[in-house]
Amino acid sequence: MYRGLFISFEGLDGSGKTTQVKMLYDYLIEKNIPAIMLREPGGAFVSEKIRSIIMENDISPYTEALLYAAARAELVGSVIKPSLLAKKIVVCDRFIDSSVAYQGYARGLGAENILNINKFGIGGLLPDITFFMDITPEASLKRRENATGLDRIESEGLAFHEKVYSGYKDLFLKFPGRIHRIDALGETVKIHNEIICFIEKQLFKD
Ligand code: TMP
């Protein structure tokens, strides 16, 4: 028997996580397992509006961090918590680790500060499982080189993404039970199968 589970995907821009989020969601629906797919920032009406403000305006790092936390608080309260209570599987493209890596490390605001403002907004809710789609900053940059329509944060250069990456690596060391590393340079279907295998063990373990 399965239970409600909160699964997040993390990684540098261009790591392929959005593709894997969709593949996992499609798999769960095909198996008749109640699931929802969300993205951050966004996923709820007000959170999507906050996403536009973040992406379309040149704002200070502090404003940026607070807006990500506000979008997350709204998403958690209005969608994630009710879905988990209804025993759904929540598959979320990014969550709090993104704020720690991007705002805490890359923008230099500090991991503890970011954790604190987020704790205020969402309490102690953390994903049950986080897949860290691991590609190097160089590979990330290469994948984004030919992309069009990059947002304000995706357009940051190598030095910024190197700091994001070091944030993710520290988080991986800090939360070894929650964060599962995936070699994101592998083949898409192979990665999907690895993810499914891992999740099925969680779903049917009790
Ligand atoms: P996306 O491209 O995965 O939709 O994410 C949008 C951008 O926002 C991406 O460059 C990462 C960034 N981001 C943060 O900087 N902090 C956060 O807390 C989140 C959720 C995303």
Side-chain angles (χ1 to χ4, degrees), residues 7-10 17 20-21 24 91-94 131 195:
I7 302 165
S8 65
F9 282 74
E10 294 284 353
K17 69 187 165 37
Q20 292 300 330
V21 164
L24 173 60
V91 185
C92 199
D93 190 341
R94 299 191 178 281
F131 292 106
I195 288 168

Side-chain angles (χ1 to χ4, degrees), residues 22 149 163 166:
K22 175 102 181 58
K163 289 184 210 156
S166 84

Side-chain angles (χ1 to χ4, degrees), residues 77-110:
S78 67
V79 183
I80 296 182
K81 276 192 178 158
S83 300
L84 291 173
L85 284 174
K87 298 205 182 304
K88 288 188 184 168
I89 309 248
V90 176
V91 185
C92 199
D93 190 341
R94 299 191 178 281
F95 197 64
I96 193 168
D97 298 318
S98 284
S99 283
V100 172
Y102 282 79
Q103 281 66 54
Y105 279 73
R107 295 279 193 231
L109 299 185

Side-chain angles (χ1 to χ4, degrees), residues 10-11 13 17-18 39-41 51 54-55 64-65 68-69 72 93-103 107 118 151-155 160-161 168:
E10 294 284 353
D13 298 295
K17 69 187 165 37
T18 305
R39 70 166 180 179
E40 272 224 76
R51 180 186 178 100
I54 296 171
M55 298 308 171
E64 186 181 279
Y68 277 116
R72 183 165 300 125
D93 190 341
R94 299 191 178 281
F95 197 64
I96 193 168
D97 298 318
S98 284
S99 283
V100 172
Y102 282 79
Q103 281 66 54
R107 295 279 193 231
N118 277 277
D151 66 45
R152 203 168 57 80
I153 293 162
E154 285 168 331
S155 311
F160 181 86
H161 285 91
Y168 275 130

Side-chain angles (χ1 to χ4, degrees), residues 2-185:
Y2 58 83
R3 58 182 176 85
L5 257 193
F6 181 16
I7 302 165
S8 65
F9 282 74
E10 294 284 353
L12 295 179
D13 298 295
S15 63
K17 69 187 165 37
T18 305
T19 304
Q20 292 300 330
V21 164
K22 175 102 181 58
M23 286 173 93
L24 173 60
Y25 174 73
D26 289 346
Y27 166 86
L28 294 170
I29 294 303
E30 202 175 289
K31 293 258 170 196
N32 284 320
I33 296 174
I36 56 164
M37 176 173 63
L38 301 169
R39 70 166 180 179
E40 272 224 76
F45 181 72
V46 170
S47 308
E48 288 291 337
K49 288 195 175 292
I50 297 174
R51 180 186 178 100
S52 307
I53 297 174
I54 296 171
M55 298 308 171
E56 290 161 18
N57 296 281
D58 199 8
I59 49 181
S60 86
Y62 297 97
T63 313
E64 186 181 279
L66 289 164
L67 286 175
Y68 277 116
R72 183 165 300 125
E74 180 62 19
L75 180 67
V76 166
S78 67
V79 183
I80 296 182
K81 276 192 178 158
S83 300
L84 291 173
L85 284 174
K87 298 205 182 304
K88 288 188 184 168
I89 309 248
V90 176
V91 185
C92 199
D93 190 341
R94 299 191 178 281
F95 197 64
I96 193 168
D97 298 318
S98 284
S99 283
V100 172
Y102 282 79
Q103 281 66 54
Y105 279 73
R107 295 279 193 231
L109 299 185
E112 278 308 309
N113 289 334
I114 296 301
L115 285 172
N116 285 335
I117 58 167
N118 277 277
K119 263 187 208 152
F120 177 66
I122 63 173
L125 184 73
L126 280 178
D128 297 300
I129 304 167
T130 297
F131 292 106
F132 166 39
M133 301 286 293
D134 190 352
I135 55 167
T136 60
E138 291 76 15
S140 155
L141 190 67
K142 210 155 185 225
R143 284 190 181 180
R144 280 178 289 120
E145 250 164 19
N146 300 321
T148 51
L150 292 180
D151 66 45
R152 203 168 57 80
I153 293 162
E154 285 168 331
S155 311
E156 291 280 354
L158 185 61
F160 181 86
H161 285 91
E162 275 169 349
K163 289 184 210 156
V164 174
Y165 189 56
S166 84
Y168 275 130
K169 282 196 298 187
D170 284 355
L171 281 162
F172 176 58
L173 294 176
K174 199 169 168 190
F175 298 101
R178 170 172 68 84
I179 302 181
H180 182 76
R181 184 190 162 275
I182 302 269
D183 178 359
L185 282 183

